[in-house]
Amino acid sequence: MSKKTAILIIPGSSSPTGLTAGSTIVGSGEMGRVEMELISAKHQTQFADQPFVLEVKLKERTWFDDAHPITSITYDNYRNKAEVTTCTFTS
C-alpha cells in the first residue's frame, strides 16, 4: 500500500474535455475508488480515433495494483466517464 504513478489507456472515443495536466480524475475498480492527478494525456498516435494514454499520480495511498487494476475513470467534475482498457502501475 503506497502512493503510486500509473499509465491508463482509455478509448479514443472518450471525450478529451477535462483531460488536462493537473486536473483531478477519480478511478474505480474492485478495490474501491481513488483520486488521481493527471500528469499527461495524449493519443497513442496522431490519429484522433486512437486510444488516449494517461499518466497519473495517485493522490492517496491505495490497494490498487496490477492484479487489482483501475477499470474506469470519471473526470471533468464527474461529467465524463471512460472505461480503462489497460492499467499499469509504474511505481
Side-chain angles (χ1 to χ4, degrees):
M1 186 168 96
S2 63
K3 289 190 178 181
K4 304 176 182 182
T5 57
I7 303 295
L8 307 176
I9 299 177
I10 63 173
S13 59
S14 303
S15 172
T17 304
L19 292 178
T20 54
S23 63
T24 298
I25 60 177
V26 177
S28 60
E30 180 183 342
M31 302 309 289
R33 294 168 41 112
V34 64
E35 282 195 10
M36 302 173 284
E37 179 182 340
L38 187 60
I39 297 170
S40 70
K42 58 187 172 195
H43 281 288
Q44 276 189 320
T45 66
Q46 295 175 322
F47 301 102
D49 63 338
Q50 294 301 306
F52 283 100
V53 178
L54 310 178
E55 184 179 2
V56 297
K57 177 173 61 174
L58 282 65
K59 290 184 169 185
E60 55 198 87
R61 295 188 179 274
T62 181
W63 293 101
F64 284 104
D65 57 21
D66 288 335
H68 304 94
I70 294 165
T71 57
S72 66
I73 60 169
T74 55
Y75 55 99
D76 193 25
N77 293 321
Y78 295 96
R79 291 185 190 106
N80 294 315
K81 185 173 182 169
E83 175 186 347
V84 175
T85 57
T86 303
C87 173
T88 304
F89 289 93
T90 55
S91 65

